[in-house]
Amino acid sequence: MGWLACSSSSSTVGAGPTDASVDATRDGSGAGLFTLGVPCTDSIASIYGDPGSLPPDHGHVIKCAVEPDVAKSDMQAAATQGLSTDDPPAMNIGYVGKPFTSGAHVYRILYRTERGDPNNSPGYSSARVFIPDTPRAAGRLPLLVASHATSGQAGHCAPSEASKTMSAPWALDDIETYLYPIVGLGLPVIMPDLAGYSNFGAPGNPPSAYAQYLDVGKSTLDGARALAKMFPAAFSGKVALIGHSQGGHSALSALAIQPMYAPDVDIAAVATLSPLWLSQRSWGAILAVASSYPLATSPTPNAVSIWYHYTHGELLDGPGHGLDPFQPAAQALIKSFVATDCDSQNWDGSPGSEYPDLQAAAKTALDLFDPAFVKSVAYAAALGTACPAGDPVCAKWTQRYVEDRPHLSTNVPILVEYGSADDTIPPDRMACVTDRLKQDHVAYSFCLRPGIGHEGILREAGSDVVDWIVSKTMGEPAPPACAETDANLTNDAGVPIACSTPPPND
């Protein structure tokens, strides 16, 4: 595959000066590797408003706003102090990797992409961009796209808005311990929100479809194109994708559709941290075992099932059809939940504190989903049985569940970082991830971190992930091999942990 070429120009990314100077004025008037190639005079608020008429070329930067620079020392302090929130509290750690070597220039942008609906409708995604003030090396650099974890599907849940004063402060720690190590170690990175967050609720702009492989994959790949257009002289043409949790699904989905959707994007490496690369039947299967997942004590799987079904309905079936899977009496609550609640925004660890609106109204998902929908999808999803003849609801949703974890046909190296104490994607579910990678015969390496949880993996592995990416894209030495791999995913008796089903690991 070729270098990532800007589709609006005949030139190829990487054709430019080889010095590593950075334009200090940040207005595009200076000379240097990171001289802006697009106007950047918009307000931050405009990034989340009506984009106007959409340009035809994917990755086109529609709006660009400059944010304050972040000093190296401030980034290092924020990453170190940004503790994880794993259980028990003794597991909570901040960034423990290499000292940062760079501060950051920061931008907020809106760029053109495409939705995952049957019409391939035009779309747009907001994003945050971090550019090193001290690049990793002289000359052109790889381009990194970081995919965010679950944040909620409402517009104000967009990770790009995370700050201590904005409406998404709970996402700030992950940015500080996810993006800061990348730019702090000298590499440029963009984190797309995904289409559907900016201008949330506007006509023709359905919410981002949770784990819908085309919807998230296209926004991810067009994020690479957008960053290349911002700095057309800066990049070597090599692209690396990074994803944590749900973001791991987004990154691997992008890898799966790249040959079809973005053959100009040369993906050289994909790094995932606790990736949610599971059978998406899970969100239908939970309805078959709803009593085992009460909302009071297992709110997150229920929330994800709601987000998955509602957002798929809105994107794929049309406006208003996101409510089709739910009981009429619960539909107003569901619509409000999707438009209001962000991931874990109120959680303090006590029952009823994570999604209080849902938890006050329902004991299990069966109090929210329509019984006819449950009858159609629950057991087919959980057991992998064939849909009854003449049940179009079962057939439609089963097809979606299966399509949303596409097979990978690639030689691109993949890294999986995982903590043995992860209780969000526990070891028996991570075994499903590695089973699928083995089934697809991909070139993956697995690093098992003993005693590390789902959030802690960002803090523990961030520095090594950057070094691994640099080894694949810049020829620097690879980090030392991990002492433990997926071969060490065993129980106390030393027996390998098997993939937990149902649902089927298809």
Side-chain angles (χ1 to χ4, degrees):
M1 291 181 289
W3 284 358
L4 190 156
C6 298
S7 59
S8 61
S9 170
S10 60
S11 64
T12 300
V13 171
T18 58
D19 74 283
S21 60
V22 178
D23 176 19
T25 64
R26 302 180 66 200
D27 64 3
S29 63
L33 198 65
F34 282 108
T35 297
L36 275 164
V38 301
C40 200
T41 57
D42 297 296
S43 68
I44 288 177
S46 72
I47 303 297
Y48 304 99
D50 187 344
S53 299
L54 296 179
D57 55 320
H58 294 187
H60 182 99
V61 179
I62 302 167
K63 294 181 184 292
C64 178
V66 174
E67 295 194 50
D69 290 348
V70 186
K72 176 180 67 175
S73 58
D74 291 339
M75 288 200 307
Q76 184 85 55
T80 303
Q81 295 165 11
L83 300 184
S84 56
T85 55
D86 298 308
D87 290 325
M91 291 169 50
N92 295 343
I93 59 172
Y95 172 78
V96 295
K98 291 181 177 178
F100 293 170
T101 57
S102 176
H105 300 312
V106 188
Y107 302 86
R108 202 89 58 99
I109 68 169
L110 184 72
Y111 63 87
R112 164 73 152 83
T113 186
E114 182 178 290
R115 301 307 300 267
D117 64 318
N119 297 320
N120 299 319
S121 299
Y124 43 94
S125 174
S126 45
R128 224 168 185 174
V129 173
F130 293 80
I131 300 297
D133 60 27
T134 305
R136 179 96 175 197
R140 296 171 294 191
L141 297 170
L143 181 161
L144 279 68
V145 185
S147 296
H148 65 80
T150 300
S151 65
Q153 304 306 105
H156 64 270
C157 303
S160 70
E161 292 206 79
S163 71
K164 296 186 187 302
T165 57
M166 296 290 287
S167 54
W170 54 90
L172 183 61
D173 282 349
D174 279 357
I175 287 178
E176 292 175 341
T177 54
Y178 187 21
L179 299 189
Y180 280 6
I182 297 171
V183 68
L185 294 173
L187 300 178
V189 60
I190 181 172
M191 177 183 274
D193 290 328
L194 305 173
Y197 283 96
S198 177
N199 203 25
F200 181 82
N205 185 39
S208 175
Y210 189 99
Q212 205 278 337
Y213 77 108
L214 287 172
D215 206 41
V216 300
K218 290 177 178 181
S219 285
T220 302
L221 293 166
D222 284 327
R225 288 167 162 157
L227 187 49
K229 292 175 188 293
M230 285 185 73
F231 303 99
F235 298 115
S236 66
K238 294 185 182 296
V239 175
L241 308 180
I242 308 175
H244 173 232
S245 195
Q246 182 201 357
H249 178 277
S250 298
L252 292 171
S253 293
L255 179 63
I257 70 170
Q258 177 272 338
M260 170 271 296
Y261 182 73
D264 55 309
V265 177
D266 186 0
I267 301 175
V270 178
T272 65
L273 302 101
S274 300
L276 193 69
W277 198 237
L278 305 173
S279 171
Q280 300 303 299
R281 289 180 185 263
S282 301
W283 315 124
I286 193 175
L287 303 176
V289 289
S291 62
S292 297
Y293 293 90
L295 275 155
T297 56
S298 300
T300 298
N302 288 282
V304 172
S305 183
I306 292 169
W307 284 324
Y308 181 93
H309 290 102
Y310 179 91
T311 58
H312 277 63
E314 290 291 309
L315 178 73
L316 302 178
D317 299 326
H321 288 287
L323 294 173
D324 290 351
F326 301 96
Q327 296 183 27
Q331 289 180 357
L333 169 64
I334 295 299
K335 187 172 183 179
S336 173
F337 168 75
V338 175
T340 304
D341 285 26
C342 299
D343 183 54
S344 303
Q345 66 185 68
N346 299 311
W347 188 54
D348 64 9
S350 61
S353 67
E354 192 161 5
Y355 304 110
D357 44 356
L358 294 180
Q359 292 164 312
K363 292 183 177 179
T364 74
L366 299 183
D367 296 325
L368 302 171
F369 282 84
D370 183 77
F373 180 81
V374 174
K375 182 178 180 181
S376 287
V377 307
Y379 290 98
L383 302 177
T385 55
C387 291
D391 189 340
V393 172
C394 179
K396 176 174 70 175
W397 284 97
T398 297
Q399 180 179 357
R400 290 174 181 175
Y401 298 147
V402 173
E403 287 179 345
D404 282 339
R405 188 171 62 158
H407 285 281
L408 300 172
S409 179
T410 181
N411 293 320
V412 173
I414 298 170
L415 172 66
V416 181
E417 288 276 358
Y418 179 69
S420 67
D422 193 324
D423 59 4
T424 298
I425 304 177
D428 60 345
R429 302 298 283 153
M430 183 51 57
C432 304
V433 174
T434 55
D435 281 357
R436 182 55 174 265
L437 296 177
K438 292 171 184 174
Q439 181 185 358
D440 287 348
H441 303 288
V442 300
Y444 82 93
S445 54
F446 191 100
C447 184
L448 180 64
R449 309 270 180 167
I452 300 297
H454 192 71
E455 294 296 321
I457 195 67
L458 285 172
R459 284 81 171 160
E460 173 78 12
S463 176
D464 286 344
V465 167
V466 173
D467 285 349
W468 181 85
I469 287 172
V470 168
S471 75
K472 301 301 181 183
T473 58
M474 298 177 66
E476 291 187 17
C482 287
E484 297 190 19
T485 71
D486 48 332
N488 301 102
L489 279 175
T490 59
N491 62 21
D492 292 341
V495 177
I497 294 173
C499 170
S500 174
T501 57
N505 192 30
D506 56 15

